[in-house]
Amino acid sequence: IASTVVKLIRSSPKDPLTIGIHGDWGAGKSSVLAMIKMQLNGDEKVLCLRFNGWQLQGFEDAKAALIESIITELRDARSGVDKICEKAADLLKRVDYLKLAKKGATAAFSLWTGIPHPEQIRDAVSLLKGLVGSATDQLNPKTVEEALQKTEGIIKPGHEKKIPEHMSAFQKEFADLLDTAKLDKLIVLIDDLDRCLPGTAIETLEAIRLFLFAPKTAFVIATDEAMIEYAVRKHFPDLPASAGNYTRNYLEKLIQVPFRLPTLGYTETQIYITLVLLQADPGPDNPCFKQLHDQARKILIQPWKGSTLDHQVAKTCLG
């Protein structure tokens, strides 16, 4: 499955692509992602980033956290490329605009026109600080107003239509960032999404949706479909009965190519565990281990014989 995913990614270098690795907990989704990353390592024109959705759990805005992580990881990985830091900084500022818009017009706008709640001040100040490049104690009505003008009205009442414009600009600037980085493909592996709380899972998927039309990108999402369906139901509790199976359709609209991991049987599990234990010594590159590996494959393709990778087989191959 990992090899097939890699071939699929390589066969569509310029097209955006989303691939799903589905299965129950413990089915081997994380192992497949690790194998994909291992097979892609060494290609200088391909950058493969791996993110754990569960680690985004503590962020208030998981969507922005994932987007920022992708940009900064890309910047750091290609730090030697000319103008990459400058373009990444511009793109991160674009994310700040979107975060500020999410906080709401009233929070930031009332910072200089009224007296907002202390929680709103804290959120707005931290975001405006990044926009104006000022220390917190240097913020004043003038610098705040300048920052608000920089946002081109996205947080002013009645100008919510500016947000789609920023999203469109973000996608164009991100494509430009990939060109500057001299990459043929950016692959993002998302793991443990089904361990997240419903809100974090949905926000992460919404962040991925922002990249859906960005060329040269591929997302590989490992998750349990049932848990995502649960997250969608929690996120949209008032869905009418006429909506049909919206919970399943939500994920299917996002995933272009799904791979569903089959449940391992007794023989497959026994062989896998045995090989994992034995590859530590003499090691996976040892000719004797490769002989054992080949023998394991023969057993797997003839399950009707009921053979297993027992002590005698291992002793014959390893000596």
Side-chain angles (χ1 to χ4, degrees), residues 28-275:
K29 300 186 294 294
S30 297
S31 296
V32 170
L33 292 187
M35 293 173 193
I36 292 171
K37 185 172 176 60
M38 182 177 65
Q39 292 184 33
L40 290 167
N41 283 343
D43 190 336
E44 294 184 358
K45 290 292 186 178
V46 173
L47 179 60
C48 187
L49 307 177
R50 185 171 180 178
F51 294 97
N52 188 308
W54 207 8
Q55 292 178 345
L56 301 174
Q57 189 72 52
F59 290 91
E60 183 180 358
D61 191 341
K63 182 192 297 186
L66 177 62
I67 295 172
E68 288 177 335
S69 297
I70 291 173
I71 296 169
T72 54
E73 290 268 356
L74 172 57
R75 177 200 64 195
D76 295 344
R78 313 293 281 190
S79 58
V81 178
D82 188 35
K83 293 186 177 181
I84 192 74
C85 292
E86 177 185 339
K87 289 187 177 293
D90 291 340
L91 200 54
L92 287 171
K93 187 167 289 190
R94 183 77 65 181
V95 178
D96 280 339
Y97 292 155
L98 296 175
K99 285 197 295 184
L100 193 56
K102 182 180 178 181
K103 290 295 180 184
T106 55
F109 195 71
S110 61
L111 184 60
W112 58 284
T113 60
I115 305 176
H117 188 276
E119 190 77 11
Q120 292 178 327
I121 292 179
R122 188 199 68 182
D123 292 339
V125 165
S126 63
L127 290 168
L128 289 170
K129 178 181 173 184
L131 291 174
V132 301
S134 301
T136 305
D137 57 357
Q138 292 177 318
L139 281 176
N140 54 58
K142 182 180 178 181
T143 57
V144 171
E145 185 172 2
E146 289 174 353
L148 293 173
Q149 290 172 351
K150 285 183 181 180
T151 65
E152 301 174 3
I154 65 166
I155 60 172
K156 293 181 181 179
H159 289 267
E160 290 82 358
K161 62 183 180 181
K162 290 287 185 180
I163 297 176
E165 294 177 14
H166 276 273
M167 293 177 68
S168 177
F170 171 88
Q171 291 170 341
K172 291 178 181 177
E173 291 177 15
F174 183 74
D176 186 39
L177 180 66
L178 290 182
D179 288 337
T180 303
K182 299 178 181 178
L183 284 174
D184 287 343
K185 200 77 173 183
L186 172 68
I187 299 125
V188 182
L189 310 177
I190 306 290
D191 198 9
D192 278 344
L193 201 56
D194 44 16
R195 294 176 182 265
C196 300
L197 294 174
T200 302
I202 295 299
E203 282 208 349
T204 303
L205 292 174
E206 290 294 312
I208 295 169
R209 193 162 58 88
L210 188 61
F211 294 94
L212 281 185
F213 302 103
K216 300 182 181 180
T217 58
F219 281 82
V220 184
I221 306 166
T223 187
D224 180 355
E225 289 174 294
M227 293 302 295
I228 298 301
E229 288 184 37
Y230 171 77
V232 173
R233 284 197 299 270
K234 286 292 183 181
H235 191 70
F236 302 104
D238 299 324
L239 278 176
S242 59
N245 195 10
Y246 181 82
T247 55
R248 174 59 61 90
N249 294 339
Y250 181 89
L251 190 60
E252 289 185 351
K253 288 289 186 182
L254 185 71
I255 302 296
Q256 293 169 303
V257 185
F259 287 86
R260 293 179 175 86
L261 299 185
T263 303
L264 294 180
Y266 172 82
T267 301
E268 295 162 322
T269 304
Q270 188 268 347
I271 288 177
Y272 176 76
I273 293 174
T274 302
L275 290 175

